[in-house]
Amino acid sequence: MEVVKTDDDRAREIVLKYDPKCAQGDNYRLKMIFQRRRSEIDEYLWAVDYIIQQFMQSGSLEAGTVRRQLLDEFETMLNHVLSTKQTFSANPSTYSCTTRSYSLGFCFEIDPTSSVLDDLRSIARRLRSMGCLRDCQEIYSAIRETFFDATLTRFGIAKVSACDVQRMVWRELDMMIGLWVRAAPFHVHLISMEIHACQSIFKLENAPFLMQIVRAYVTPFLDFVSAVARGRRSSERLFGMLDLHGCLTLMLPPLELLKLPGADALVNQAKQILSALEEAAKETFLRFERAVVGDLSCVENVREGVHYLTTYVMDYLTRIVSGYGTCEWIVARKIDDVLWIGDTFSGKTPHIHHCGDQPPLASHIKLVVANLLCNLRGKTKQQQLDDGFACFFMMVNLNHVVQKFKESNVLLKVVGEDFESCLDNALQSTVCAHLSLTWDRVLKGLEQGLVPKKIKILGMSFSGPCRRKGILKDFNVAFERIWQTQSRWVVRDGELREGLRQCILNKLVPAYESFLHQLSQCRSSRKATKLIKYSVEDVENVVCSQLFEGRSPSSFRSK
């Protein structure tokens, strides 16, 4: 006679079938329960519900088995989802494009036929009825925190203490900042998705354990930013601080929207760290300003004339305004007046440049540029450089400053057109001063030769041939000296180089041509024509092809 199994027997048999402690369970546990056919899953859930209803109060063995199985299945399913749905890229820069692949909340979108969320939700609901919801949530939190640690590793980020961060050399710290700048937005975008998934699975709006997950995502970044804010204030660290400031600023709005217990405390912590970072950036920029004033490097061996300090300062200022938008907060106060010495070579005395109603950052940029030029001028005086090279040095550095302002529309917009005009005027004055200091003596000698000196002998006047002969010798010597010197000087800017050459040609060639013409017309000076070493074409060739090229002068056969 066939024995009819009761519901108690059937439920007990189904549950034990999936228990690894049973002989039959060893074969059934090769595969997750919720990966089986839908009919098997429904059968198992019926048995679970029956045991929960009938035996929960008695604390029977079957109830304990069900509890253990559901917790194991919940954990296994979560790990399985993370291993199959999340495909990490070897290139961290692509992470922002695959955010949805990392969130349980988008399992349906990744695979429309997936029932993972439904299955997790059904397990969580049954564990709650058994009084094991806390255990279920702890499993969920631990797995998601493990996932977060894994993503940090994928980004190349190692968890380090604040002391380790502050001891890092700049190159290592800069690399770490770059990794965090890419990783932090990725994890911030995940927060809302994680909350959505948690609330969907556990049907809880303000569960405290949700805040634990959020903190796991945010706190390591906050700790890192805090350590950077307490670190050294060297000038090169400003841009890393600005990068972190931008990330933290973008992170705050999503955090402020959180409606979770403890969210306000986390937001306040983030704001305090942001404030500390801003103070660190202000002090760092102030140290940069002081470093421009106090730079003691020399001018020797600066073949191109453009001093490295000029390049560094202009690149620094351009990067601030072009790469980070409005950074008015990095300066502590506005400066009303700036002492301007940009055109002192032209004989003008230093004067006050008024900043007017411009924003604080604009006044500080003007101050930095003025201090830069003052420092460079001081170097030429301290090293007692030749006036010609000192003026050339200031000219090419001023030109570099002007070009940087013209190349950056943002930088030019910050300081205003009046400062651009001030720079242009200073450059033109310095160019004129340079030409005067280097070529005026040559030109004056030629001009003197155009006016023949009268010599009276026995009541008769004669031109002085020896005087023209001496002027021609002086010209040859002076021209060769300038040629030898200025050929080795470098003007990289093509427009400035051609402008200088044209100015020299416009003054030198007509004067030299007139001098040679008068020399050839005077009978008493015909012997002096043998001393002509350079034709007009030779002079033009030297000026147009060799000056300011940064090479040793090349000889050529005179025409």
Side-chain angles (χ1 to χ4, degrees):
M1 181 177 178
E2 183 178 356
V3 178
V4 179
K5 294 182 180 179
T6 64
D7 287 345
D8 292 351
D9 295 332
R10 288 181 56 233
R12 194 177 294 114
E13 181 179 329
I14 292 170
V15 168
L16 293 177
K17 181 169 63 174
Y18 295 99
D19 188 1
K21 292 183 178 181
C22 302
Q24 189 178 12
D26 290 339
N27 297 325
Y28 274 84
R29 288 301 290 171
L30 294 175
K31 190 188 215 183
M32 287 192 305
I33 299 173
F34 284 83
Q35 274 191 329
R36 297 178 177 276
R37 293 192 302 269
R38 195 70 234 177
S39 58
E40 293 182 276
I41 296 174
D42 292 340
E43 181 187 52
Y44 175 76
L45 291 177
W46 171 85
V48 168
D49 291 338
Y50 184 87
I51 291 176
I52 291 174
Q53 181 180 0
Q54 298 296 324
F55 299 106
M56 191 59 198
Q57 297 298 327
S58 63
S60 64
L61 176 63
E62 290 79 2
T65 301
V66 166
R67 182 188 301 109
R68 187 180 67 252
Q69 285 182 352
L70 291 178
L71 289 173
D72 290 345
E73 191 72 10
F74 189 83
E75 181 177 1
T76 305
M77 286 183 66
L78 280 177
N79 286 323
H80 180 72
V81 168
L82 295 180
S83 63
T84 58
K85 297 295 181 183
Q86 302 165 12
T87 55
F88 290 97
S89 167
N91 183 4
S93 63
T94 64
Y95 287 176
S96 59
C97 301
T98 58
T99 303
R100 292 185 173 185
S101 303
Y102 296 86
S103 173
L104 293 173
F106 284 90
C107 286
F108 283 119
E109 189 168 337
I110 298 168
D111 182 4
T113 63
S114 174
S115 60
V116 174
L117 283 178
D118 289 337
D119 293 337
L120 290 171
R121 190 183 302 117
S122 68
I123 294 175
R125 177 169 53 80
R126 289 169 171 84
L127 286 170
R128 180 190 302 172
S129 66
M130 300 177 72
C132 299
L133 182 61
R134 176 117 183 218
D135 297 331
C136 184
Q137 291 173 347
E138 288 177 354
I139 290 173
Y140 185 91
S141 298
I143 290 176
R144 296 311 292 168
E145 289 176 24
T146 300
F147 158 73
F148 173 74
D149 292 339
T151 60
L152 289 184
T153 303
R154 297 280 181 167
F155 274 99
I157 298 174
K159 287 187 176 181
V160 293
S161 67
C163 293
D164 292 334
V165 172
Q166 293 170 8
R167 282 196 296 263
M168 286 182 179
V169 297
W170 167 238
R171 181 173 296 181
E172 184 181 1
L173 180 60
D174 187 46
M175 184 180 299
M176 182 70 73
I177 289 174
L179 295 175
W180 269 114
V181 166
R182 285 200 290 264
F186 173 82
H187 290 109
V188 170
H189 285 304
L190 278 181
I191 290 176
S192 60
M193 301 178 189
E194 289 291 342
I195 293 175
H196 173 74
C198 285
Q199 292 175 343
S200 177
I201 292 171
F202 297 105
K203 295 298 181 180
L204 296 173
E205 294 296 327
N206 297 315
F209 90 102
L210 283 178
M211 199 61 216
Q212 179 182 346
I213 296 176
V214 172
R215 280 191 172 277
Y217 276 56
V218 176
T219 300
F221 177 65
L222 295 181
D223 291 343
F224 177 77
V225 175
S226 178
V228 172
R230 297 195 305 270
R232 293 190 295 273
R233 305 288 196 264
S234 52
S235 299
E236 68 272 8
R237 299 191 176 211
L238 176 64
F239 301 107
M241 294 179 183
L242 294 179
D243 287 333
L244 294 176
H245 184 276
C247 276
L248 193 49
T249 301
L250 292 176
M251 182 184 292
L252 274 174
L255 294 180
E256 290 174 335
L257 293 176
L258 294 178
K259 305 297 182 183
L260 298 174
D264 291 342
L266 183 62
V267 170
N268 290 335
Q269 180 186 1
K271 288 181 177 179
Q272 291 173 1
I273 293 175
L274 183 64
S275 178
L277 186 65
E278 290 178 351
E279 290 301 318
K282 289 179 183 178
E283 186 176 342
T284 302
F285 184 75
L286 181 61
R287 293 198 176 192
F288 161 73
E289 292 181 308
R290 292 171 179 169
V292 173
V293 176
D295 181 78
L296 300 176
S297 56
C298 297
V299 176
E300 283 91 1
N301 300 323
V302 185
R303 292 180 61 251
E304 300 185 23
V306 179
H307 197 274
Y308 87 90
L309 181 63
T310 306
T311 305
Y312 177 77
V313 167
M314 294 311 300
D315 289 346
Y316 200 93
L317 296 177
T318 303
R319 188 175 175 185
I320 288 176
V321 299
S322 300
Y324 300 96
T326 56
C327 294
E328 297 292 338
W329 55 268
I330 68 171
V331 295
R333 62 182 180 84
K334 180 183 175 182
I335 299 171
D336 295 324
D337 301 312
V338 173
L339 182 63
W340 183 250
I341 60 101
D343 45 7
T344 52
F345 269 107
S346 61
K348 296 181 180 179
T349 58
H351 62 279
I352 300 297
H353 179 84
H354 299 287
C355 297
D357 297 328
Q358 288 185 310
L361 182 59
S363 65
H364 278 263
I365 290 176
K366 292 180 178 181
L367 177 65
V368 169
V369 173
N371 287 339
L372 167 66
L373 298 177
C374 184
N375 186 305
L376 296 177
R377 184 71 179 101
K379 294 180 189 299
T380 63
K381 292 180 178 180
Q382 184 178 8
Q383 297 175 222
Q384 298 179 347
L385 298 180
D386 171 75
D387 286 344
F389 179 73
C391 192
F392 171 80
F393 175 75
M394 291 300 298
M395 176 185 67
V396 293
N397 279 276
L398 249 174
N399 180 71
H400 184 79
V401 172
V402 170
Q403 292 304 315
K404 280 297 181 179
F405 274 100
K406 290 182 177 179
E407 290 171 5
S408 174
N409 292 330
V410 180
L411 187 59
L412 190 58
K413 185 178 179 181
V414 171
V415 298
E417 295 180 356
D418 62 328
F419 193 66
E420 179 189 15
S421 299
C422 185
L423 288 171
D424 285 334
N425 293 335
L427 177 60
Q428 292 303 318
S429 299
T430 309
V431 169
C432 293
H434 164 70
L435 295 174
S436 177
L437 286 169
T438 54
W439 288 97
D440 268 11
R441 184 177 299 177
V442 178
L443 294 171
K444 288 179 180 178
L446 292 176
E447 290 171 357
Q448 291 175 2
L450 295 176
V451 181
K453 183 177 180 181
K454 299 296 182 179
I455 303 175
K456 290 185 178 182
I457 302 177
L458 300 176
M460 300 180 65
S461 297
F462 300 91
S463 296
C466 295
R467 185 169 176 271
R468 287 199 177 96
K469 181 179 179 181
I471 290 175
L472 186 57
K473 287 182 178 180
D474 290 343
F475 171 80
N476 291 337
V477 172
F479 180 73
E480 288 176 0
R481 178 178 56 80
I482 296 178
W483 173 20
Q484 294 282 335
T485 301
Q486 295 193 1
S487 294
R488 291 181 170 85
W489 294 354
V490 182
V491 178
R492 293 293 184 193
D493 182 67
E495 184 178 352
L496 177 63
R497 183 174 61 250
E498 293 307 316
L500 287 171
R501 289 172 173 175
Q502 195 60 48
C503 287
I504 295 170
L505 287 175
N506 291 341
K507 293 185 176 183
L508 179 62
V509 170
Y512 187 54
E513 195 170 26
S514 297
F515 176 79
L516 293 183
H517 177 72
Q518 286 201 10
L519 192 64
S520 64
Q521 295 298 318
C522 183
R523 292 183 179 181
S524 60
S525 300
R526 287 176 181 175
K527 291 183 179 180
T529 57
K530 297 179 181 180
L531 298 175
I532 299 175
K533 294 181 65 175
Y534 306 104
S535 67
V536 174
E537 291 78 7
D538 294 336
V539 171
E540 290 177 341
N541 182 41
V542 167
V543 173
C544 292
S545 64
Q546 297 194 35
L547 295 191
F548 312 117
E549 290 290 340
R551 298 191 296 265
S552 298
S554 57
S555 59
F556 57 88
R557 181 175 296 176
S558 175
K559 297 180 181 180

